[in-house]
PDB file of all heavy atoms in Angstrom:
ATOM      1  N   THR A 166     -51.738  63.751 -39.153  1.00 85.00           N
ATOM      2  CA  THR A 166     -52.091  62.634 -38.274  1.00 85.00           C
ATOM      3  C   THR A 166     -52.083  61.349 -39.082  1.00 85.00           C
ATOM      4  O   THR A 166     -52.799  61.218 -40.077  1.00 85.00           O
ATOM      5  CB  THR A 166     -53.473  62.849 -37.635  1.00 85.00           C
ATOM      6  OG1 THR A 166     -53.470  64.069 -36.891  1.00 85.00           O
ATOM      7  CG2 THR A 166     -53.812  61.701 -36.697  1.00 85.00           C
ATOM      8  N   LEU A 167     -51.237  60.405 -38.664  1.00 88.00           N
ATOM      9  CA  LEU A 167     -51.106  59.128 -39.355  1.00 88.00           C
ATOM     10  C   LEU A 167     -51.304  58.008 -38.344  1.00 88.00           C
ATOM     11  O   LEU A 167     -50.659  58.004 -37.297  1.00 88.00           O
ATOM     12  CB  LEU A 167     -49.730  59.020 -40.018  1.00 88.00           C
ATOM     13  CG  LEU A 167     -49.515  57.813 -40.930  1.00 88.00           C
ATOM     14  CD1 LEU A 167     -50.345  57.945 -42.197  1.00 88.00           C
ATOM     15  CD2 LEU A 167     -48.040  57.664 -41.298  1.00 88.00           C
ATOM     16  N   THR A 168     -52.186  57.076 -38.671  1.00 84.00           N
ATOM     17  CA  THR A 168     -52.535  55.962 -37.771  1.00 84.00           C
ATOM     18  C   THR A 168     -52.833  56.459 -36.361  1.00 84.00           C
ATOM     19  O   THR A 168     -52.391  55.876 -35.368  1.00 84.00           O
ATOM     20  CB  THR A 168     -51.411  54.894 -37.739  1.00 84.00           C
ATOM     21  OG1 THR A 168     -50.183  55.486 -37.266  1.00 84.00           O
ATOM     22  CG2 THR A 168     -51.176  54.316 -39.117  1.00 84.00           C
ATOM     23  N   GLY A 169     -53.559  57.570 -36.262  1.00 79.00           N
ATOM     24  CA  GLY A 169     -53.997  58.097 -34.984  1.00 79.00           C
ATOM     25  C   GLY A 169     -52.955  58.859 -34.201  1.00 79.00           C
ATOM     26  O   GLY A 169     -53.188  59.235 -33.049  1.00 79.00           O
ATOM     27  N   GLU A 170     -51.807  59.151 -34.803  1.00 79.00           N
ATOM     28  CA  GLU A 170     -50.718  59.825 -34.096  1.00 79.00           C
ATOM     29  C   GLU A 170     -50.331  61.104 -34.833  1.00 79.00           C
ATOM     30  O   GLU A 170     -50.120  61.095 -36.051  1.00 79.00           O
ATOM     31  CB  GLU A 170     -49.500  58.898 -34.014  1.00 79.00           C
ATOM     32  CG  GLU A 170     -48.283  59.532 -33.369  1.00 79.00           C
ATOM     33  CD  GLU A 170     -47.043  58.658 -33.496  1.00 79.00           C
ATOM     34  OE1 GLU A 170     -47.089  57.655 -34.233  1.00 79.00           O
ATOM     35  OE2 GLU A 170     -46.029  58.992 -32.862  1.00 79.00           O
ATOM     36  N   GLU A 171     -50.260  62.194 -34.074  1.00 79.00           N
ATOM     37  CA  GLU A 171     -49.759  63.438 -34.666  1.00 79.00           C
ATOM     38  C   GLU A 171     -48.269  63.276 -34.943  1.00 79.00           C
ATOM     39  O   GLU A 171     -47.498  62.890 -34.063  1.00 79.00           O
ATOM     40  CB  GLU A 171     -49.988  64.611 -33.717  1.00 79.00           C
ATOM     41  CG  GLU A 171     -49.545  65.944 -34.310  1.00 79.00           C
ATOM     42  CD  GLU A 171     -49.483  67.065 -33.293  1.00 79.00           C
ATOM     43  OE1 GLU A 171     -49.866  66.833 -32.138  1.00 79.00           O
ATOM     44  OE2 GLU A 171     -49.014  68.157 -33.665  1.00 79.00           O
ATOM     45  N   THR A 172     -47.853  63.569 -36.166  1.00 85.00           N
ATOM     46  CA  THR A 172     -46.470  63.321 -36.530  1.00 85.00           C
ATOM     47  C   THR A 172     -46.056  64.243 -37.661  1.00 85.00           C
ATOM     48  O   THR A 172     -46.833  65.071 -38.140  1.00 85.00           O
ATOM     49  CB  THR A 172     -46.285  61.846 -36.945  1.00 85.00           C
ATOM     50  OG1 THR A 172     -44.891  61.550 -37.104  1.00 85.00           O
ATOM     51  CG2 THR A 172     -47.011  61.546 -38.254  1.00 85.00           C
ATOM     52  N   VAL A 173     -44.811  64.114 -38.086  1.00 88.00           N
ATOM     53  CA  VAL A 173     -44.284  64.842 -39.237  1.00 88.00           C
ATOM     54  C   VAL A 173     -43.712  63.814 -40.206  1.00 88.00           C
ATOM     55  O   VAL A 173     -42.846  63.021 -39.840  1.00 88.00           O
ATOM     56  CB  VAL A 173     -43.182  65.843 -38.823  1.00 88.00           C
ATOM     57  CG1 VAL A 173     -42.634  66.553 -40.054  1.00 88.00           C
ATOM     58  CG2 VAL A 173     -43.711  66.843 -37.829  1.00 88.00           C
ATOM     59  N   LEU A 174     -44.219  63.814 -41.431  1.00 93.00           N
ATOM     60  CA  LEU A 174     -43.701  62.918 -42.458  1.00 93.00           C
ATOM     61  C   LEU A 174     -42.615  63.628 -43.248  1.00 93.00           C
ATOM     62  O   LEU A 174     -42.790  64.783 -43.649  1.00 93.00           O
ATOM     63  CB  LEU A 174     -44.820  62.486 -43.412  1.00 93.00           C
ATOM     64  CG  LEU A 174     -46.017  61.751 -42.815  1.00 93.00           C
ATOM     65  CD1 LEU A 174     -46.967  61.322 -43.933  1.00 93.00           C
ATOM     66  CD2 LEU A 174     -45.573  60.551 -42.009  1.00 93.00           C
ATOM     67  N   ILE A 175     -41.504  62.942 -43.465  1.00 94.00           N
ATOM     68  CA  ILE A 175     -40.415  63.482 -44.269  1.00 94.00           C
ATOM     69  C   ILE A 175     -40.150  62.501 -45.406  1.00 94.00           C
ATOM     70  O   ILE A 175     -39.823  61.339 -45.168  1.00 94.00           O
ATOM     71  CB  ILE A 175     -39.144  63.691 -43.424  1.00 94.00           C
ATOM     72  CG1 ILE A 175     -39.444  64.602 -42.237  1.00 94.00           C
ATOM     73  CG2 ILE A 175     -38.019  64.290 -44.274  1.00 94.00           C
ATOM     74  CD1 ILE A 175     -38.304  64.750 -41.266  1.00 94.00           C
ATOM     75  N   VAL A 176     -40.342  62.976 -46.625  1.00 96.00           N
ATOM     76  CA  VAL A 176     -40.136  62.145 -47.811  1.00 96.00           C
ATOM     77  C   VAL A 176     -38.958  62.695 -48.588  1.00 96.00           C
ATOM     78  O   VAL A 176     -38.878  63.902 -48.851  1.00 96.00           O
ATOM     79  CB  VAL A 176     -41.394  62.129 -48.701  1.00 96.00           C
ATOM     80  CG1 VAL A 176     -41.172  61.240 -49.921  1.00 96.00           C
ATOM     81  CG2 VAL A 176     -42.614  61.657 -47.907  1.00 96.00           C
ATOM     82  N   GLU A 177     -38.047  61.814 -48.965  1.00 96.00           N
ATOM     83  CA  GLU A 177     -36.856  62.184 -49.738  1.00 96.00           C
ATOM     84  C   GLU A 177     -36.885  61.399 -51.049  1.00 96.00           C
ATOM     85  O   GLU A 177     -36.871  60.163 -51.029  1.00 96.00           O
ATOM     86  CB  GLU A 177     -35.592  61.863 -48.940  1.00 96.00           C
ATOM     87  CG  GLU A 177     -34.300  62.251 -49.629  1.00 96.00           C
ATOM     88  CD  GLU A 177     -33.090  61.926 -48.763  1.00 96.00           C
ATOM     89  OE1 GLU A 177     -33.119  60.890 -48.056  1.00 96.00           O
ATOM     90  OE2 GLU A 177     -32.103  62.693 -48.785  1.00 96.00           O
ATOM     91  N   MET A 178     -36.943  62.107 -52.165  1.00 96.00           N
ATOM     92  CA  MET A 178     -36.967  61.487 -53.487  1.00 96.00           C
ATOM     93  C   MET A 178     -35.650  61.766 -54.208  1.00 96.00           C
ATOM     94  O   MET A 178     -35.220  62.927 -54.293  1.00 96.00           O
ATOM     95  CB  MET A 178     -38.119  62.036 -54.324  1.00 96.00           C
ATOM     96  CG  MET A 178     -39.505  61.662 -53.820  1.00 96.00           C
ATOM     97  SD  MET A 178     -39.927  59.964 -54.230  1.00 96.00           S
ATOM     98  CE  MET A 178     -41.720  60.015 -54.014  1.00 96.00           C
ATOM     99  N   PHE A 179     -35.027  60.725 -54.719  1.00 96.00           N
ATOM    100  CA  PHE A 179     -33.782  60.849 -55.482  1.00 96.00           C
ATOM    101  C   PHE A 179     -34.065  60.605 -56.964  1.00 96.00           C
ATOM    102  O   PHE A 179     -34.989  59.862 -57.314  1.00 96.00           O
ATOM    103  CB  PHE A 179     -32.753  59.816 -55.016  1.00 96.00           C
ATOM    104  CG  PHE A 179     -32.404  59.886 -53.554  1.00 96.00           C
ATOM    105  CD1 PHE A 179     -33.130  59.160 -52.621  1.00 96.00           C
ATOM    106  CD2 PHE A 179     -31.358  60.685 -53.112  1.00 96.00           C
ATOM    107  CE1 PHE A 179     -32.799  59.211 -51.280  1.00 96.00           C
ATOM    108  CE2 PHE A 179     -31.032  60.745 -51.772  1.00 96.00           C
ATOM    109  CZ  PHE A 179     -31.762  60.006 -50.852  1.00 96.00           C
ATOM    110  N   GLY A 180     -33.237  61.194 -57.824  1.00 95.00           N
ATOM    111  CA  GLY A 180     -33.405  60.930 -59.239  1.00 95.00           C
ATOM    112  C   GLY A 180     -32.221  61.371 -60.072  1.00 95.00           C
ATOM    113  O   GLY A 180     -31.356  62.132 -59.608  1.00 95.00           O
ATOM    114  N   SER A 181     -32.187  60.866 -61.262  1.00 94.00           N
ATOM    115  CA  SER A 181     -31.215  61.319 -62.266  1.00 94.00           C
ATOM    116  C   SER A 181     -31.832  61.102 -63.641  1.00 94.00           C
ATOM    117  O   SER A 181     -32.737  60.295 -63.806  1.00 94.00           O
ATOM    118  CB  SER A 181     -29.885  60.573 -62.138  1.00 94.00           C
ATOM    119  OG  SER A 181     -30.055  59.206 -62.435  1.00 94.00           O
ATOM    120  N   THR A 182     -31.315  61.815 -64.608  1.00 89.00           N
ATOM    121  CA  THR A 182     -31.860  61.738 -65.978  1.00 89.00           C
ATOM    122  C   THR A 182     -30.761  61.442 -66.982  1.00 89.00           C
ATOM    123  O   THR A 182     -30.901  61.760 -68.165  1.00 89.00           O
ATOM    124  CB  THR A 182     -32.533  63.072 -66.340  1.00 89.00           C
ATOM    125  OG1 THR A 182     -31.568  64.123 -66.237  1.00 89.00           O
ATOM    126  CG2 THR A 182     -33.714  63.363 -65.439  1.00 89.00           C
ATOM    127  N   THR A 183     -29.669  60.811 -66.537  1.00 75.00           N
ATOM    128  CA  THR A 183     -28.496  60.702 -67.403  1.00 75.00           C
ATOM    129  C   THR A 183     -27.977  59.294 -67.591  1.00 75.00           C
ATOM    130  O   THR A 183     -26.890  59.115 -68.097  1.00 75.00           O
ATOM    131  CB  THR A 183     -27.351  61.548 -66.823  1.00 75.00           C
ATOM    132  OG1 THR A 183     -27.083  61.113 -65.482  1.00 75.00           O
ATOM    133  CG2 THR A 183     -27.700  63.016 -66.839  1.00 75.00           C
ATOM    134  N   SER A 184     -28.729  58.272 -67.164  1.00 56.00           N
ATOM    135  CA  SER A 184     -28.256  56.894 -67.322  1.00 56.00           C
ATOM    136  C   SER A 184     -29.263  56.088 -68.118  1.00 56.00           C
ATOM    137  O   SER A 184     -30.451  56.374 -68.087  1.00 56.00           O
ATOM    138  CB  SER A 184     -28.026  56.250 -65.949  1.00 56.00           C
ATOM    139  OG  SER A 184     -27.653  54.906 -66.102  1.00 56.00           O
ATOM    140  N   GLN A 185     -28.804  55.088 -68.834  1.00 40.00           N
ATOM    141  CA  GLN A 185     -29.687  54.238 -69.630  1.00 40.00           C
ATOM    142  C   GLN A 185     -29.659  52.833 -69.047  1.00 40.00           C
ATOM    143  O   GLN A 185     -28.863  51.992 -69.431  1.00 40.00           O
ATOM    144  CB  GLN A 185     -29.231  54.224 -71.094  1.00 40.00           C
ATOM    145  CG  GLN A 185     -29.202  55.592 -71.741  1.00 40.00           C
ATOM    146  CD  GLN A 185     -30.595  56.204 -71.822  1.00 40.00           C
ATOM    147  OE1 GLN A 185     -31.543  55.510 -72.124  1.00 40.00           O
ATOM    148  NE2 GLN A 185     -30.691  57.491 -71.542  1.00 40.00           N
ATOM    149  N   THR A 186     -30.551  52.561 -68.089  1.00 42.00           N
ATOM    150  CA  THR A 186     -30.606  51.246 -67.449  1.00 42.00           C
ATOM    151  C   THR A 186     -32.045  50.794 -67.330  1.00 42.00           C
ATOM    152  O   THR A 186     -32.972  51.546 -67.562  1.00 42.00           O
ATOM    153  CB  THR A 186     -29.958  51.310 -66.052  1.00 42.00           C
ATOM    154  OG1 THR A 186     -30.523  52.421 -65.343  1.00 42.00           O
ATOM    155  CG2 THR A 186     -28.459  51.496 -66.142  1.00 42.00           C
ATOM    156  N   LEU A 187     -32.221  49.535 -66.938  1.00 36.00           N
ATOM    157  CA  LEU A 187     -33.560  48.952 -66.839  1.00 36.00           C
ATOM    158  C   LEU A 187     -34.159  49.184 -65.463  1.00 36.00           C
ATOM    159  O   LEU A 187     -33.452  49.408 -64.493  1.00 36.00           O
ATOM    160  CB  LEU A 187     -33.478  47.440 -67.124  1.00 36.00           C
ATOM    161  CG  LEU A 187     -32.996  47.072 -68.524  1.00 36.00           C
ATOM    162  CD1 LEU A 187     -32.882  45.562 -68.637  1.00 36.00           C
ATOM    163  CD2 LEU A 187     -33.933  47.620 -69.592  1.00 36.00           C
ATOM    164  N   ALA A 188     -35.474  49.082 -65.384  1.00 36.00           N
ATOM    165  CA  ALA A 188     -36.185  49.347 -64.127  1.00 36.00           C
ATOM    166  C   ALA A 188     -36.077  48.151 -63.183  1.00 36.00           C
ATOM    167  O   ALA A 188     -36.302  47.019 -63.580  1.00 36.00           O
ATOM    168  CB  ALA A 188     -37.661  49.631 -64.407  1.00 36.00           C
ATOM    169  N   VAL A 189     -35.713  48.409 -61.925  1.00 35.00           N
ATOM    170  CA  VAL A 189     -35.682  47.376 -60.879  1.00 35.00           C
ATOM    171  C   VAL A 189     -36.092  48.015 -59.559  1.00 35.00           C
ATOM    172  O   VAL A 189     -35.977  49.209 -59.365  1.00 35.00           O
ATOM    173  CB  VAL A 189     -34.268  46.754 -60.708  1.00 35.00           C
ATOM    174  CG1 VAL A 189     -33.849  46.024 -61.957  1.00 35.00           C
ATOM    175  CG2 VAL A 189     -33.241  47.811 -60.323  1.00 35.00           C
ATOM    176  N   VAL A 190     -36.568  47.168 -58.642  1.00 36.00           N
ATOM    177  CA  VAL A 190     -36.861  47.606 -57.272  1.00 36.00           C
ATOM    178  C   VAL A 190     -36.056  46.734 -56.330  1.00 36.00           C
ATOM    179  O   VAL A 190     -36.055  45.517 -56.449  1.00 36.00           O
ATOM    180  CB  VAL A 190     -38.368  47.482 -56.950  1.00 36.00           C
ATOM    181  CG1 VAL A 190     -38.638  47.832 -55.502  1.00 36.00           C
ATOM    182  CG2 VAL A 190     -39.180  48.370 -57.872  1.00 36.00           C
ATOM    183  N   SER A 191     -35.342  47.354 -55.389  1.00 34.00           N
ATOM    184  CA  SER A 191     -34.497  46.594 -54.478  1.00 34.00           C
ATOM    185  C   SER A 191     -35.351  45.771 -53.533  1.00 34.00           C
ATOM    186  O   SER A 191     -36.406  46.191 -53.088  1.00 34.00           O
ATOM    187  CB  SER A 191     -33.605  47.530 -53.663  1.00 34.00           C
ATOM    188  OG  SER A 191     -34.378  48.301 -52.800  1.00 34.00           O
ATOM    189  N   GLU A 192     -34.902  44.561 -53.199  1.00 31.00           N
ATOM    190  CA  GLU A 192     -35.592  43.706 -52.248  1.00 31.00           C
ATOM    191  C   GLU A 192     -34.899  43.849 -50.901  1.00 31.00           C
ATOM    192  O   GLU A 192     -33.695  43.657 -50.779  1.00 31.00           O
ATOM    193  CB  GLU A 192     -35.521  42.241 -52.699  1.00 31.00           C
ATOM    194  CG  GLU A 192     -36.263  41.977 -53.996  1.00 31.00           C
ATOM    195  CD  GLU A 192     -37.759  42.157 -53.842  1.00 31.00           C
ATOM    196  OE1 GLU A 192     -38.250  41.996 -52.712  1.00 31.00           O
ATOM    197  OE2 GLU A 192     -38.428  42.457 -54.839  1.00 31.00           O
ATOM    198  N   VAL A 193     -35.684  44.163 -49.856  1.00 32.00           N
ATOM    199  CA  VAL A 193     -35.149  44.350 -48.523  1.00 32.00           C
ATOM    200  C   VAL A 193     -35.966  43.508 -47.566  1.00 32.00           C
ATOM    201  O   VAL A 193     -37.198  43.451 -47.678  1.00 32.00           O
ATOM    202  CB  VAL A 193     -35.224  45.838 -48.102  1.00 32.00           C
ATOM    203  CG1 VAL A 193     -34.594  46.049 -46.737  1.00 32.00           C
ATOM    204  CG2 VAL A 193     -34.516  46.690 -49.136  1.00 32.00           C
ATOM    205  N   PRO A 194     -35.343  42.780 -46.609  1.00 31.00           N
ATOM    206  CA  PRO A 194     -36.110  41.975 -45.666  1.00 31.00           C
ATOM    207  C   PRO A 194     -37.151  42.818 -44.945  1.00 31.00           C
ATOM    208  O   PRO A 194     -36.873  43.945 -44.539  1.00 31.00           O
ATOM    209  CB  PRO A 194     -35.029  41.472 -44.683  1.00 31.00           C
ATOM    210  CG  PRO A 194     -33.761  41.536 -45.461  1.00 31.00           C
ATOM    211  CD  PRO A 194     -33.907  42.696 -46.398  1.00 31.00           C
ATOM    212  N   PRO A 195     -38.388  42.313 -44.766  1.00 32.00           N
ATOM    213  CA  PRO A 195     -39.451  43.114 -44.151  1.00 32.00           C
ATOM    214  C   PRO A 195     -39.210  43.436 -42.703  1.00 32.00           C
ATOM    215  O   PRO A 195     -39.846  44.321 -42.154  1.00 32.00           O
ATOM    216  CB  PRO A 195     -40.686  42.212 -44.304  1.00 32.00           C
ATOM    217  CG  PRO A 195     -40.147  40.828 -44.459  1.00 32.00           C
ATOM    218  CD  PRO A 195     -38.848  40.979 -45.177  1.00 32.00           C
ATOM    219  N   THR A 196     -38.283  42.727 -42.042  1.00 31.00           N
ATOM    220  CA  THR A 196     -38.035  42.987 -40.629  1.00 31.00           C
ATOM    221  C   THR A 196     -37.067  44.132 -40.403  1.00 31.00           C
ATOM    222  O   THR A 196     -36.826  44.521 -39.275  1.00 31.00           O
ATOM    223  CB  THR A 196     -37.458  41.728 -39.954  1.00 31.00           C
ATOM    224  OG1 THR A 196     -36.295  41.318 -40.686  1.00 31.00           O
ATOM    225  CG2 THR A 196     -38.475  40.605 -39.970  1.00 31.00           C
ATOM    226  N   SER A 197     -36.472  44.657 -41.461  1.00 33.00           N
ATOM    227  CA  SER A 197     -35.532  45.768 -41.302  1.00 33.00           C
ATOM    228  C   SER A 197     -36.047  46.993 -42.027  1.00 33.00           C
ATOM    229  O   SER A 197     -36.855  46.892 -42.939  1.00 33.00           O
ATOM    230  CB  SER A 197     -34.159  45.374 -41.880  1.00 33.00           C
ATOM    231  OG  SER A 197     -34.277  45.163 -43.257  1.00 33.00           O
ATOM    232  N   PRO A 198     -35.582  48.208 -41.630  1.00 36.00           N
ATOM    233  CA  PRO A 198     -35.992  49.416 -42.363  1.00 36.00           C
ATOM    234  C   PRO A 198     -35.614  49.286 -43.829  1.00 36.00           C
ATOM    235  O   PRO A 198     -34.561  48.757 -44.178  1.00 36.00           O
ATOM    236  CB  PRO A 198     -35.199  50.531 -41.681  1.00 36.00           C
ATOM    237  CG  PRO A 198     -34.881  49.993 -40.333  1.00 36.00           C
ATOM    238  CD  PRO A 198     -34.695  48.511 -40.529  1.00 36.00           C
ATOM    239  N   SER A 199     -36.472  49.747 -44.707  1.00 40.00           N
ATOM    240  CA  SER A 199     -36.232  49.552 -46.130  1.00 40.00           C
ATOM    241  C   SER A 199     -36.218  50.860 -46.885  1.00 40.00           C
ATOM    242  O   SER A 199     -36.906  51.795 -46.539  1.00 40.00           O
ATOM    243  CB  SER A 199     -37.302  48.626 -46.721  1.00 40.00           C
ATOM    244  OG  SER A 199     -38.559  49.227 -46.582  1.00 40.00           O
ATOM    245  N   ALA A 200     -35.430  50.907 -47.921  1.00 49.00           N
ATOM    246  CA  ALA A 200     -35.436  52.018 -48.867  1.00 49.00           C
ATOM    247  C   ALA A 200     -35.703  51.427 -50.234  1.00 49.00           C
ATOM    248  O   ALA A 200     -35.463  50.251 -50.475  1.00 49.00           O
ATOM    249  CB  ALA A 200     -34.104  52.745 -48.839  1.00 49.00           C
ATOM    250  N   VAL A 201     -36.188  52.211 -51.151  1.00 50.00           N
ATOM    251  CA  VAL A 201     -36.547  51.713 -52.474  1.00 50.00           C
ATOM    252  C   VAL A 201     -35.703  52.405 -53.518  1.00 50.00           C
ATOM    253  O   VAL A 201     -35.476  53.605 -53.441  1.00 50.00           O
ATOM    254  CB  VAL A 201     -38.046  51.970 -52.752  1.00 50.00           C
ATOM    255  CG1 VAL A 201     -38.432  51.469 -54.131  1.00 50.00           C
ATOM    256  CG2 VAL A 201     -38.889  51.288 -51.697  1.00 50.00           C
ATOM    257  N   VAL A 202     -35.249  51.656 -54.511  1.00 47.00           N
ATOM    258  CA  VAL A 202     -34.528  52.240 -55.637  1.00 47.00           C
ATOM    259  C   VAL A 202     -35.138  51.743 -56.926  1.00 47.00           C
ATOM    260  O   VAL A 202     -35.639  50.627 -57.013  1.00 47.00           O
ATOM    261  CB  VAL A 202     -33.012  51.890 -55.608  1.00 47.00           C
ATOM    262  CG1 VAL A 202     -32.311  52.674 -54.544  1.00 47.00           C
ATOM    263  CG2 VAL A 202     -32.805  50.405 -55.402  1.00 47.00           C
ATOM    264  N   ALA A 203     -35.108  52.551 -57.972  1.00 43.00           N
ATOM    265  CA  ALA A 203     -35.653  52.130 -59.263  1.00 43.00           C
ATOM    266  C   ALA A 203     -34.877  52.752 -60.389  1.00 43.00           C
ATOM    267  O   ALA A 203     -34.248  53.789 -60.228  1.00 43.00           O
ATOM    268  CB  ALA A 203     -37.128  52.529 -59.370  1.00 43.00           C
ATOM    269  N   LYS A 204     -34.953  52.129 -61.568  1.00 39.00           N
ATOM    270  CA  LYS A 204     -34.325  52.667 -62.763  1.00 39.00           C
ATOM    271  C   LYS A 204     -35.269  52.433 -63.938  1.00 39.00           C
ATOM    272  O   LYS A 204     -35.930  51.412 -64.023  1.00 39.00           O
ATOM    273  CB  LYS A 204     -32.998  51.956 -63.042  1.00 39.00           C
ATOM    274  CG  LYS A 204     -32.000  51.994 -61.887  1.00 39.00           C
ATOM    275  CD  LYS A 204     -30.803  51.134 -62.215  1.00 39.00           C
ATOM    276  CE  LYS A 204     -29.809  51.099 -61.071  1.00 39.00           C
ATOM    277  NZ  LYS A 204     -28.653  50.255 -61.355  1.00 39.00           N
ATOM    278  N   ALA A 205     -35.299  53.351 -64.871  1.00 35.00           N
ATOM    279  CA  ALA A 205     -36.106  53.160 -66.080  1.00 35.00           C
ATOM    280  C   ALA A 205     -35.638  54.127 -67.147  1.00 35.00           C
ATOM    281  O   ALA A 205     -35.098  55.184 -66.838  1.00 35.00           O
ATOM    282  CB  ALA A 205     -37.584  53.398 -65.778  1.00 35.00           C
ATOM    283  N   GLU A 206     -35.846  53.769 -68.406  1.00 33.00           N
ATOM    284  CA  GLU A 206     -35.417  54.631 -69.502  1.00 33.00           C
ATOM    285  C   GLU A 206     -36.392  55.773 -69.708  1.00 33.00           C
ATOM    286  O   GLU A 206     -37.573  55.565 -69.924  1.00 33.00           O
ATOM    287  CB  GLU A 206     -35.327  53.809 -70.801  1.00 33.00           C
ATOM    288  CG  GLU A 206     -34.088  52.934 -70.869  1.00 33.00           C
ATOM    289  CD  GLU A 206     -33.877  52.410 -72.265  1.00 33.00           C
ATOM    290  OE1 GLU A 206     -34.238  53.111 -73.234  1.00 33.00           O
ATOM    291  OE2 GLU A 206     -33.344  51.319 -72.396  1.00 33.00           O
ATOM    292  N   LYS A 207     -35.890  57.017 -69.617  1.00 34.00           N
ATOM    293  CA  LYS A 207     -36.700  58.208 -69.878  1.00 34.00           C
ATOM    294  C   LYS A 207     -35.809  59.305 -70.435  1.00 34.00           C
ATOM    295  O   LYS A 207     -34.597  59.280 -70.303  1.00 34.00           O
ATOM    296  CB  LYS A 207     -37.371  58.720 -68.596  1.00 34.00           C
ATOM    297  CG  LYS A 207     -38.410  57.764 -68.002  1.00 34.00           C
ATOM    298  CD  LYS A 207     -39.663  57.725 -68.828  1.00 34.00           C
ATOM    299  CE  LYS A 207     -40.694  56.785 -68.249  1.00 34.00           C
ATOM    300  NZ  LYS A 207     -41.912  56.727 -69.037  1.00 34.00           N
TER     301      LYS A 207
END
């Protein structure tokens, strides 16, 4: 139950461990559906 509504949450996590890049978060207008991407050295 989320915000008073019975529902099903589906979370999809993506990843890779083979690139050497810096961490960033994509900027998406708040009025449209948004997805998040990030990069960091590990």
Side-chain angles (χ1 to χ4, degrees):
T166 301
L167 188 70
T168 60
E170 177 189 10
E171 183 192 356
T172 189
V173 179
L174 301 184
I175 303 174
V176 181
E177 182 179 36
M178 293 283 198
F179 302 90
S181 65
T182 59
T183 57
S184 176
Q185 301 296 319
T186 50
L187 297 177
V189 296
V190 175
S191 67
E192 295 293 334
V193 183
T196 55
S197 64
S199 62
V201 179
V202 286
K204 304 174 182 179
E206 283 193 32
K207 295 288 180 180

